[in-house]
Amino acid sequence: IREKSRTKVGLVVEAGDAYAIAQGSTAFHEAVVATSANELMIRLMGAISGRITWLFYLTSGLPADEAFHDHVLLRDAIASGNERVAESVAYAHIERDREPTFEAMRGQME
């Protein structure tokens, strides 16, 4: 773990600024897509980036440490160069957060 990044993330989370948390999470996901060098994915991310920030804003109350841990695992998997491992880590992250995200959204939308 890069301690500087961890500290920066920790400060944002501790400050409790839901929008800053959402922006940081969106930036991470944009970087993952950019790393893919997949032009279609990059264009799609550009089109939905604002909606992703909104989603992360609605779910900013979920445990940030778990998401950060998943992001570190994904970063390391991408850096390993093993596409299948990176794909598996990404899908595990999505699946672990699916239901808590839906639940948090329900609470925000009611």
Side-chain angles (χ1 to χ4, degrees):
I1 292 178
R2 292 186 178 115
E3 238 3 85
K4 186 175 184 180
S5 295
R6 178 66 170 132
T7 302
K8 192 174 187 179
V9 170
L11 291 174
V12 170
V13 172
E14 286 174 18
D17 183 339
Y19 187 63
I21 292 167
Q23 287 179 306
S25 191
T26 301
F28 174 81
H29 290 87
E30 288 172 338
V32 168
V33 169
T35 301
S36 76
N38 180 312
E39 287 302 317
L40 176 59
M41 290 291 295
I42 292 168
R43 284 197 309 271
L44 288 171
M45 180 58 95
I48 64 169
S49 186
R51 290 182 181 133
I52 291 172
T53 301
W54 175 75
L55 169 69
F56 291 146
Y57 175 79
L58 290 178
T59 61
S60 63
L62 294 175
D65 283 345
E66 292 175 10
F68 179 77
H69 176 72
D70 284 357
H71 291 172
V72 170
L73 292 175
L74 182 55
R75 179 203 66 200
D76 293 347
I78 291 168
S80 79
N82 187 326
E83 293 176 12
R84 299 299 295 188
V85 169
E87 180 182 317
S88 297
V89 171
Y91 279 115
H93 172 55
I94 292 166
E95 286 304 315
R96 186 185 61 75
D97 284 350
R98 183 181 308 279
E99 284 305 316
T101 295
F102 288 153
E103 188 59 37
M105 288 175 61
R106 274 190 286 277
Q108 293 289 330
M109 304 292 282
E110 294 175 351

